[in-house]
Amino acid sequence: ELWDDISEAASGQKPIQLTAETMCRNISILKASKFRSAMAIASVAKFRHIEHEFPWTPALQSQWDKSQKAVNRGLGPAAHASPFPLGEASKLIDSRDPLSPAGPLHPGRTIKIGCWWLLREVELGNCCLRDVTEEQDNSVSILLPASKADVMALGESRGHGCACENRTDGPALMPTRMCPACLLKAQLKIVREEFPGLGQDAPLFPSSSGKFPTKAGVINTISALAGQLGKKEKTHS
């Protein structure tokens, strides 16, 4: 659709058959617009061209090679994010106060739960009490309304059992301050005590006002906590 929109804006048409000229023009526009996926977008147009049994000529292949070199020139590395060091998270200070405006209360506990449940910043910000289920076997699960593993948005549930001295089915594997189930249960207890009037619709990781934290607030909180562990916010790349 993006390829066709570019074609239509440039020439008033959406041709399926490619020419060296249209390929050069559209890829140049994508590159100028800072699309890192310029060639991936162009490849969809290429496959469509071939599926309609149009010939892939030497001229098209030559232009394709030139475009690929042009797009990759000066592109630099992708902006990958490093994983949060959960193994070092026991060193975090367990304070109540947020580390960022509109960020969550109890930030240390929040990031530990977020790591154990593999929550993105949006999921951390949108979870509420009704999404949490305490099972009879002492485990706890969080229901994510929609996730990458659930393209139909029926709900993806992730659970953890107790792994500290509070477990009844074996020896302690970690201290209570790092136990996923106990951390989540403690978070539930605190939210219910501090914001009793919100009921099950209360945010699981509320801000100081009792509202859902903002995306920026959660991101800045994660960065601040990583800084407490001596991690740099950005690397040379």
Side-chain angles (χ1 to χ4, degrees):
E1 290 178 358
L2 177 57
W3 183 272
D4 288 343
D5 288 344
I6 293 172
S7 297
E8 185 176 31
S11 65
Q13 298 177 329
K14 299 181 180 180
I16 294 176
Q17 183 175 8
L18 296 177
T19 65
E21 180 183 359
T22 59
M23 185 191 302
C24 178
R25 180 198 63 207
N26 285 18
I27 293 176
S28 296
I29 291 172
L30 289 167
K31 176 177 170 59
S33 302
K34 309 297 184 183
F35 276 87
R36 294 186 64 90
S37 55
M39 294 309 295
I41 296 169
S43 67
V44 178
K46 174 183 177 180
F47 293 147
R48 185 176 62 177
H49 171 98
I50 295 173
E51 285 175 350
H52 283 76
E53 300 184 355
F54 292 120
W56 186 253
T57 65
L60 287 173
Q61 184 60 49
S62 175
Q63 183 58 56
W64 181 270
D65 295 339
K66 291 178 182 178
S67 296
Q68 198 158 38
K69 290 178 181 178
V71 167
N72 292 333
R73 189 179 300 119
L75 185 63
H80 292 301
S82 299
F84 193 90
L86 178 59
E88 302 175 39
S90 61
K91 303 175 186 177
L92 294 173
I93 301 173
D94 190 16
S95 63
R96 177 189 182 276
D97 297 333
L99 296 176
S100 170
L105 295 170
H106 303 280
R109 183 190 300 142
T110 296
I111 191 62
K112 293 175 189 176
I113 295 172
C115 286
W116 278 118
W117 265 267
L118 302 176
L119 301 178
R120 295 172 294 160
E121 77 285 347
V122 174
E123 293 167 333
L124 271 172
N126 289 339
C127 282
C128 59
L129 296 191
R130 69 171 63 257
D131 296 325
V132 181
T133 302
E134 298 183 63
E135 309 291 351
Q136 292 184 350
D137 61 359
N138 213 27
S139 65
V140 193
S141 62
I142 298 179
L143 175 66
L144 306 177
S147 71
K148 291 180 180 179
D150 176 31
V151 295
M152 297 182 66
L154 299 177
E156 182 75 14
S157 182
R158 299 178 192 150
H160 280 293
C162 180
C164 68
E165 61 185 14
N166 295 324
R167 67 186 297 203
T168 58
D169 57 347
L173 303 175
M174 61 184 67
T176 302
R177 65 180 180 276
M178 288 298 295
C179 174
C182 290
L183 285 169
L184 185 52
K185 289 179 180 179
Q187 183 69 14
L188 290 171
K189 183 174 183 291
I190 287 295
V191 174
R192 287 166 178 161
E193 290 176 352
E194 295 193 17
F195 305 100
L198 298 180
Q200 288 294 90
D201 292 324
L204 180 57
F205 306 104
S207 64
S208 55
S209 63
K211 297 180 179 180
F212 289 92
T214 65
K215 179 177 179 178
V218 176
I219 291 174
N220 292 334
T221 297
I222 294 171
S223 296
L225 290 168
Q228 289 184 10
L229 298 177
K231 308 301 178 182
K232 295 181 179 180
E233 185 174 346
K234 293 183 179 180
T235 65
H236 66 282
S237 60

